[in-house]
Amino acid sequence: NKDKFESLIKENSFFEHAKIFDNYYGTSKKSVNKLHEENYDVVFDIDWQGTKQLSNYKELNLIKIFILPPDKKELKKRLINRNQDNNQTVE
């Protein structure tokens, strides 16, 4: 819940976190560290802002891959189809 998530943020329990459309998202340090201890590689599926936060942790040894739409026309089409932004934001 919101209070628990905010408490975990204060406890520095996430490698990265964000609040998007009144929902919290984050990458748990505990979960990632457990996977590393078991010799697993971890794939993060996050936006550029989350990647920026993760980049502060050199021990993660990140390899960054950004997937972009082929052109601005396709980007605009995807934003419109997502139906989350007003016209001004899309433009």
Side-chain angles (χ1 to χ4, degrees), residues 3-86:
D3 291 336
K4 177 65 174 171
F5 202 100
E6 290 175 349
S7 173
L8 290 169
I9 290 170
K10 290 177 185 171
E11 295 169 10
N12 198 27
S13 297
F14 298 103
F15 280 117
E16 61 83 30
H17 66 276
K19 184 177 181 183
I20 303 169
F21 302 114
D22 291 327
N23 293 307
Y24 282 106
Y25 300 89
T27 302
S28 161
K29 287 182 178 179
K30 183 178 177 181
S31 296
V32 171
N33 289 336
K34 183 177 186 299
L35 290 168
H36 276 171
E37 288 169 10
E38 296 172 1
N39 290 318
Y40 286 101
D41 291 325
V42 179
V43 176
F44 300 97
D45 180 11
I46 56 176
D47 68 4
W48 68 270
Q49 293 166 329
T51 302
K52 188 174 178 182
Q53 290 178 56
L54 287 177
S55 296
N56 293 322
Y57 298 93
K58 301 303 177 199
E59 69 271 19
L60 292 177
N61 253 347
L62 297 178
I63 297 172
K64 302 170 195 168
I65 300 169
F66 293 92
I67 301 172
L68 301 172
D71 54 45
K72 288 184 179 183
K73 182 178 176 182
E74 178 64 21
L75 173 60
K76 183 175 181 177
K77 179 179 143 189
R78 292 178 188 183
L79 291 172
I80 290 168
N81 288 340
R82 185 171 74 171
N83 200 29
Q84 293 180 347
D85 303 305
N86 62 41

Side-chain angles (χ1 to χ4, degrees), residues 76 79 86-91:
K76 183 175 181 177
L79 291 172
N86 62 41
N87 289 340
Q88 182 181 3
T89 302
V90 169
E91 288 301 323

